[in-house]
Amino acid sequence: MLAVTFQSLRRVAVETVPDPVLLGSGDAIVRVERSAVCGSDMHVFHGRETGIDAGCVMGHEFLGEVVEAGPDAGVAVGTRVVSPFTTSCGGCRFCRIGLTCRCVSGALFGWVAGGIGLPGAQAEAVRVPLARSTLVPVPDGVDPDAALLCGDVLATGFFCAENGAVGPGDTVAVVGLGPVGLSAVLGAVHRGAARVLAVDDVPERLAVAGRLGGEPVDRSAVDPLEVVRDATDGAGADVVLEAVGHPSAARLAVDLVRPGGTVSSVGVHTAPSFPFSPVEAYDKNLTFAIGRCPARRLAEPLLELLRREEIDVSPLVTHRMPLADAVRAYDRFDRREDGCIKIVLEP
Ligand SMILES: NC(=O)c1ccc[n+]([C@@H]2O[C@H](COP(=O)([O-])OP(=O)(O)OC[C@H]3O[C@@H](n4cnc5c(N)ncnc54)[C@H](O)[C@@H]3O)[C@@H](O)[C@H]2O)c1
Ligand SMILES: [Zn+2]
Ligand SMILES: [Zn+2]
């Protein structure tokens, strides 16, 4: 089959690799109808995250049809499914408290290091271990692109708002308006935030934030700190949602939040330390919430919101490209070329 593989720093390739096969009784093979390129793929691409094997199949966002299922897979051949970006068992302590991303037997798609791990989904097919408790059937009537986003970025944006305990009437700032940050705008609006100040410097992304209920703040034209202070009588935002994964964004988030407020961070921070000191956190009575999204827990409720048409994620998918053009897709996503927000790859 065709698959996108990691080669070396800033190099991915579309190659022919062996078809996946069932390895365990709980495995399923999914024929990928769509996968997507994610900001997280860029950490590997640019070498900010290291250790992945050359030749590892990339990608962790996918939707498709179950074409083979082991006897314990718990999902019928022919079912259309979306997958969270990690597998989970559904029964361990962490799965039971809804922290499916920390499942003791879970794995991240598209991460094979030293021969150990789970090949990814930017491919024509993918093997899914723990299929029964990982895969989520896509309800009829939900647009497949929207459903695809429930496995990662949409879930992550909503998780960011949840982890920040955004509540009715809050003034929220969102730092970074990639697919994750834009989903965080939606999540904050959905939780009843009174104002959602959405910070980035990419014009197309600022415009989409406006369509989703946010107030665009172009950091290349205005000082976000001044905008947030003006909006809050000088106090700062109740909650700041950070969706970048760069020290500059974490620093801005801590500057924007009010004393006693919460910074909720879902950006993957690969720098060795936080760009704020313990005493700064102390002096602000800061709550700092951070971590990977338990997408398995969020996917089902999000699919239901989509089915009821309570949220509209259509502005997020801006490009669809053939899987065979993935090298160009990585480059386009990386450069944010041509108003690119989310690229869907079709085998
Ligand atoms: N926690 C999780 O489970 C999880 C899941 C998915 C993605 N992520 C992470 O979320 C982050 C965002 O992913 P994405 O796909 O939206 O990425 P992206 O690269 O498309 O978006 C990042 C955006 O941040 C903006 N930006 C950069 N520096 C900024 C700053 N200092 N202030 C304001 N905006 C700034 C960029 O212009 C860009 O629009 C990545 O770090 C990714 O790895 C985490
Ligand atoms: Zn992702
Ligand atoms: Zn588990």
Side-chain angles (χ1 to χ4, degrees):
M1 66 168 182
L2 276 191
V4 182
T5 56
F6 176 73
Q7 296 294 316
S8 57
L9 193 61
R10 291 191 193 86
R11 257 192 68 226
V12 292
V14 179
E15 291 188 300
T16 302
V17 303
D19 289 345
V21 293
L22 298 174
L23 295 179
S25 64
D27 289 5
I29 305 293
V30 173
R31 181 180 59 77
V32 176
E33 290 172 36
R34 299 152 204 231
S35 59
V37 182
C38 180
S40 296
D41 299 325
M42 292 299 133
H43 295 310
V44 174
F45 188 67
H46 287 294
R48 292 187 293 264
E49 281 189 311
T50 56
I52 182 174
D53 294 348
C56 171
V57 178
M58 297 284 293
H60 54 265
E61 303 181 1
F62 65 99
L63 173 142
E65 184 190 340
V66 175
V67 289
E68 267 184 85
D72 303 321
V75 56
V77 167
T79 311
R80 182 182 251 183
V81 289
V82 60
S83 180
F85 60 95
T86 61
T87 60
S88 51
C89 75
C92 74
R93 177 176 182 177
F94 301 110
C95 282
R96 279 187 276 114
I97 62 167
L99 201 61
T100 51
C101 55
R102 297 298 165 203
C103 174
V104 296
S105 40
L108 172 66
F109 287 99
W111 192 274
V112 179
I116 297 166
L118 193 55
Q122 287 163 0
E124 290 179 290
V126 58
R127 180 179 72 90
V128 182
L130 302 171
R132 177 192 298 275
S133 42
T134 296
L135 293 173
V136 184
V138 177
D140 287 340
V142 176
D143 173 64
D145 281 351
L148 167 65
L149 302 181
C150 294
D152 186 355
V153 293
L154 184 60
T156 301
F158 271 65
F159 171 66
C160 190
E162 173 194 293
N163 230 16
V166 171
D170 280 352
T171 296
V172 175
V174 178
V175 177
L177 302 176
V180 174
L182 289 169
S183 298
V185 170
L186 269 176
V189 169
H190 186 74
R191 293 177 69 92
R195 298 186 69 178
V196 182
L197 302 160
V199 184
D200 205 306
D201 57 7
V202 181
E204 296 87 353
R205 295 179 172 204
L206 288 160
V208 170
R211 285 173 63 190
L212 299 178
E215 300 172 49
V217 178
D218 180 354
R219 70 187 184 108
S220 69
V222 292
D223 179 359
L225 195 54
E226 263 176 43
V227 175
V228 169
R229 283 193 181 140
D230 285 349
T232 56
D233 296 325
D238 298 304
V239 185
V240 182
L241 307 177
E242 184 276 324
V244 181
H246 186 273
S248 64
R251 178 69 247 180
L252 179 61
V254 170
D255 289 338
L256 294 181
V257 77
R258 68 163 165 81
T262 299
V263 170
S264 173
S265 169
V266 289
V268 175
H269 287 271
T270 51
S273 58
F274 286 118
F276 57 89
S277 67
V279 77
E280 282 178 289
Y282 179 89
D283 284 348
K284 259 204 173 168
N285 283 42
L286 175 70
T287 298
F288 194 87
I290 186 167
R292 180 185 274 176
C293 168
R296 179 61 177 80
R297 168 167 64 80
L298 279 90
E300 273 167 328
L302 285 170
L303 285 165
E304 183 55 21
L305 285 183
L306 288 167
R307 197 187 60 76
R308 297 203 307 257
E309 296 182 7
E310 284 185 31
I311 50 174
D312 174 19
V313 296
S314 58
L316 296 188
V317 175
T318 50
H319 292 74
R320 39 182 6 96
M321 296 171 71
L323 180 69
D325 270 353
V327 174
R328 213 159 60 80
Y330 267 65
D331 189 54
R332 175 173 276 170
F333 182 81
D334 187 35
R335 294 171 195 272
R336 296 171 192 135
E337 199 183 279
D338 186 28
C340 171
I341 298 178
K342 195 78 182 165
I343 301 184
V344 168
L345 297 173
E346 291 175 318

